[in-house]
Amino acid sequence: MPRKERLFILGLPQIVQLQGHNKCELFSEDGDFCYFLECLDNALMRYGGDLHSYCLLASKALLLITPNSKENIGAIIQHVGRRYVPYFNKKYRRSGSLWEGRYKSCLVEAKNYLLPSMHFVESGAMEPSISVAHYPWNSYNHNIGEASLERISSHREYILLGKTTQQQAEAYRRFSQRSISSYILQRISDCIRQNTILGMAKFCQQLENQLQGNVRPRKRGRPRKNYNLSGQHLSFIERKVRSLCQQYSYTEIKLPIIQDANSASELLSFSLTPQCIASSNHQTILSSDGSFSCLKFVNQHLELLQGSKVWYQGPIFRHAYEQHDMLEQYIQIGVEAFGWENDAIVAEQLQFQYDFFKVLEVEKEVELRINHIGSMAEFTAFRQALTIYFQPFSILFDATRQAWLQNVPERILVDYPVELEPMIKLAPKLSDYLSITSLARFQQLEQLLDNMGLPYIVDHNLYPASHYSDILFEWHAEYIAPQTLVCRGGRYDEFISKTMQRKSNACGFAFMLDNIIKLLLSIGYHPREYNDYKIVVIPEYNISGALGFNICRQLRQSFPSIAVTLDCAEKLTIKRQANASKQGNNIIVIINEHDNMEVLFKHHREVELSLDGVRARISRLIYA
């Protein structure tokens, strides 16, 4: 069977992993580490390439390298092997291969994942008992400015951390003090194992279109083609959110599906893409963002602006993809807080979201991305600069990007054809328009999240989908690409202050339930809570109706969290039993003419049971 060709894209860094054969030691003494690094230095000098970070452990070597050509990375590793392996075998009187097969590697999208990859290489693979700062065989102390290693070349993304080397080192020190999220660890592990790209979904999608092949890691088994979202799934998610909202002191409010657009036109502008329909006598709207309905509710109850926490659930509507004459319905759960000026409320809501994903046991499958876009004035100045910059190139844009250029030019920075990349690299940067106060505010939030131990990455290409200002955040699950968004939110103090005509503070977010359920189904997760049991009691003959009611009452007392239904339909028992069996989690209790009972659940059947026996059997089923 031919070997899989290694994936290579010029300019992208690579994480390279060398493993000892059968996990044997690669290094036993300090001299071994030194000689390996000497071989690596010679290889880089001979074949070219930039080494950004490394870590040498007893049985593993991790490198982050940007090679100059496709052949260089293989030549570098081969050069090291041809010199180090004979040295090691001769010194320790052994023979044969030292490496465990071919070296493993993955490419890295530098814009978003260079720093996490450096952090992983320098500390992610080490034992918790080892101090990264005091470990002599990695590049950590160089990258935080406490040592100088000639073999290390700073990547452009590292250089952008600060204007001076001291600022860059301090910024990387702050970044590396965060723990590596389980999501990043899992993704890097999958990418290294399958020789794919560690990158954002849109970046990978562009490369897949260009290369006509897959560049993302795949889970085992065949990918799902259909996602059947049932009421059980929605009910399960709702119960989890409701429980967390109670713990975090959020109160549920009920919102209407249809709104009068004329009564709240200023609030409707919160969504950048409102969906409108015309009724028979006046214009009504279906919001594409649940925050609109929530803001209209708050506008009618202004006392909520003084300090309140609310949550809501319900449908939202959006145009079908590439079919703007059709609307699609989605289910959304939103959480909003009003009256809190300090960004501690943002940190609390992010902790809420992380707790929610932990409850679902998918925290390893989702990633938090945050960004700071400054005040409305600062972000507007950035947009104007982009519009002026892109205007001479607008002839190269399709109709969609020309429309973006008028109102949301920042979208062009995120979604563009590969041939426009040179132009995109020279576009104005948001950081150039942020004030010192805005930058300091974001650093305070980062420090707070770091102290909380909440994993995240700063995505400088994360821009608002609504009228957010200052801080915004999103959670993504790359495994359900291309639609990876599972949660979105941020602050919108300036918008609500302007529309309410009084100084106000607001921060909120929404869970995209459809995508969350797709994620659960994709990873094959079937929590016990999905077993939304219902007990159906079926009297078999024309016995006293009171007996059936009494048995139902007794079962409700014994199992207060489970629905109990008495089926009194004028149908044959076998027909009623078949109808009850259509739902897989229905527990069927049949009362026969001798007042004995049967319990049926899926393919299991027990007969001649007393009421106590029925209770015991049901307990075993639901608490197994």
Side-chain angles (χ1 to χ4, degrees), residues 46-82:
R46 180 171 182 175
Y47 297 103
D50 295 328
L51 178 67
H52 309 302
S53 63
Y54 68 88
C55 181
L56 307 183
L57 298 173
S59 61
K60 182 186 298 185
L62 285 168
L63 313 171
L64 182 61
I65 301 177
T66 301
N68 294 338
S69 68
K70 183 176 181 179
E71 294 75 19
N72 279 11
I73 187 67
I76 290 171
I77 302 303
Q78 190 178 64
H79 180 91
V80 172
R82 284 178 174 174

Side-chain angles (χ1 to χ4, degrees), residues 187-210:
R187 285 200 64 198
I188 293 178
S189 176
D190 291 342
C191 291
I192 290 176
R193 188 178 68 253
Q194 299 183 37
N195 183 223
T196 51
I197 294 181
L198 176 67
M200 297 287 192
K202 287 185 178 179
F203 178 81
C204 294
Q205 184 65 52
Q206 289 177 340
L207 289 178
E208 287 175 344
N209 294 338
Q210 181 182 356

